[in-house]
Amino acid sequence: MKFDNETSIIQQKIANGYAGVSRRLAIVNALNLETNETVIDIGCGGGHLVQEISLSIGEQGKVIGIDPSQDQLDVASDKCKDQSNVELICTTADEINIEDASCDKITATQTLEYIEDIDTSLKEIKRISKTNSKFVNVSILWDYFRFYGPEKEINDLIHEAFRAHCFHQMLPLDLNGKLKKLGYKNISSQNLSYLITNRDNNSPAIFYETMLSKFALSQGVSEDKVDDWKKQLNKSEKVGNFGFTSFPVLTAAYLG
Ligand SMILES: C[S@@+](CC[C@H](N)C(=O)[O-])C[C@H]1O[C@@H](n2cnc3c(N)ncnc32)[C@H](O)[C@@H]1O
């Protein structure tokens, strides 16, 4: 999926709301930030986490956000305009133009699953990491990312179309082995799953509904079917059998 202007706006709404705030809280706790550290956020998007890290590491610390989407970086740049310890680089995770062994903490949120050749990116992440540095990743178990309420046939159609939106549907299950192979130690997984039963204007469910609808249309699903799915979601909320589940996993590890 390309994080162009329209998709970026939806993604930033998700980051602003409950889904984004709760996972950033878990990430900041896991990072255990200290002043003067150099921290990098891979696929920083609109810079929500970059800003929070920036405020935690003091003026002598440094936070680097990288992202290949200039639309995302423009928003990040505006958000962090008053913070002197932030550097934003427009690049991909397989080619990070910073020195070897320069980062104390490395983090990525819902980014690695979008990278086809993830092994090259993980090697590049290892290259820029100091010995004993901490790596914290959050990725979603997409098989458990699900709307409930509409009839099975139409619901399956929309979810099946969405599978093409990223390369690695169940990355948290593969990541531990990949990190172990690269020499990481003390690898742990934390369940950040949640259930939402309302579709108010600030609910992640409503933003993901928009994202899935847009993506289904791009995959050739007809407008009639997408509209029908949305109507059924609306109806299910009214009768009280609507649900939306997501299963992010926080993976933490130390580079031995
Ligand atoms: C779902 S967004 C997450 C953004 C942010 N981490 C957050 O949680 O709000 C995924 C981000 O990964 C970025 N991305 C896609 N491919 C990438 C790559 N190869 N290297 C680094 N970032 C990438 C996208 O541009 C997008 O901003």
Side-chain angles (χ1 to χ4, degrees), residues 3 11 15 23 41-46 48 66-69 72 91-93 109-111 114-115:
F3 287 86
Q11 192 276 315
R23 72 186 176 189
D41 184 11
I42 310 287
C44 65
H48 299 77
I66 72 151
D67 202 291
S69 162
Q72 293 273 57
T91 190
T92 47
T109 312
Q110 205 193 317
T111 292
Y114 295 106
I115 302 178

Side-chain angles (χ1 to χ4, degrees), residues 2-117:
K2 278 228 168 309
F3 287 86
D4 56 11
N5 194 28
E6 209 184 329
T7 310
S8 293
I9 289 168
I10 304 172
Q11 192 276 315
Q12 285 154 23
K13 284 183 176 167
I14 295 166
N16 275 332
Y18 165 79
V21 172
S22 60
R23 72 186 176 189
R24 284 201 301 284
L25 193 61
I27 294 164
V28 169
N29 277 334
L31 283 173
N32 196 15
L33 296 164
E34 291 178 31
T35 49
N36 298 347
E37 285 187 326
T38 298
V39 185
I40 186 162
D41 184 11
I42 310 287
C44 65
H48 299 77
L49 184 61
V50 168
Q51 185 184 43
E52 286 150 6
I53 294 171
S54 157
L55 296 168
S56 304
I57 53 170
E59 282 188 355
Q60 303 308 315
K62 184 175 183 181
V63 54
I64 303 163
I66 72 151
D67 202 291
S69 162
Q70 194 56 53
D71 287 324
Q72 293 273 57
L73 286 185
D74 288 346
V75 175
S77 174
D78 190 48
K79 195 177 266 104
C80 301
K81 62 179 182 301
D82 296 328
Q83 282 144 267
S84 58
N85 59 358
V86 172
E87 184 183 356
L88 299 169
I89 309 174
C90 191
T91 190
T92 47
D94 57 346
E95 207 175 13
I96 309 171
N97 188 18
I98 63 172
E99 281 180 24
D100 292 1
S102 52
C103 295
D104 299 285
K105 306 271 165 71
I106 299 88
T107 189
T109 312
Q110 205 193 317
T111 292
L112 296 185
E113 58 260 57
Y114 295 106
I115 302 178
E116 187 168 13
D117 179 5

Side-chain angles (χ1 to χ4, degrees), residues 68-69 139 172 199 213 219 225:
S69 162
S139 288
R199 291 169 66 256
S213 300
Q219 293 296 107
K225 290 217 156 107

Side-chain angles (χ1 to χ4, degrees), residues 133-240:
S133 60
K134 191 168 189 185
F135 173 73
V136 175
N137 182 72
V138 171
S139 288
I140 293 179
L141 290 172
W142 289 102
D143 284 359
Y144 296 101
F145 174 94
R146 194 99 196 141
F147 283 89
Y148 301 85
E151 286 158 13
K152 183 173 170 9
E153 196 180 333
I154 186 102
N155 206 33
D156 285 353
L157 178 76
I158 303 289
H159 282 90
E160 200 48 41
F162 197 58
R163 285 182 73 77
H165 98 289
C166 83
F167 292 107
H168 307 280
Q169 305 293 322
M170 297 290 276
L171 181 63
L173 300 186
D174 295 330
L175 190 57
N176 293 10
K178 288 182 184 296
L179 292 173
K180 200 170 168 195
K181 219 167 140 189
L182 287 168
Y184 285 83
K185 305 258 181 338
N186 295 338
I187 304 166
S188 62
S189 305
Q190 186 185 339
N191 171 355
L192 303 180
S193 62
Y194 60 88
L195 160 72
I196 286 177
T197 54
N198 64 305
R199 291 169 66 256
D200 65 78
N201 284 342
N202 293 317
S203 159
I206 209 83
F207 301 131
Y208 275 123
E209 182 180 319
T210 309
M211 197 175 268
L212 261 69
S213 300
K214 183 174 173 305
F215 197 80
L217 291 170
S218 78
Q219 293 296 107
V221 178
S222 72
E223 241 175 89
D224 283 355
K225 290 217 156 107
V226 172
D227 284 348
D228 186 23
W229 182 66
K230 284 160 74 174
K231 275 187 197 135
Q232 290 196 33
L233 286 170
N234 194 24
K235 191 171 159 206
S236 70
E237 189 191 20
K238 288 205 170 91
V239 299

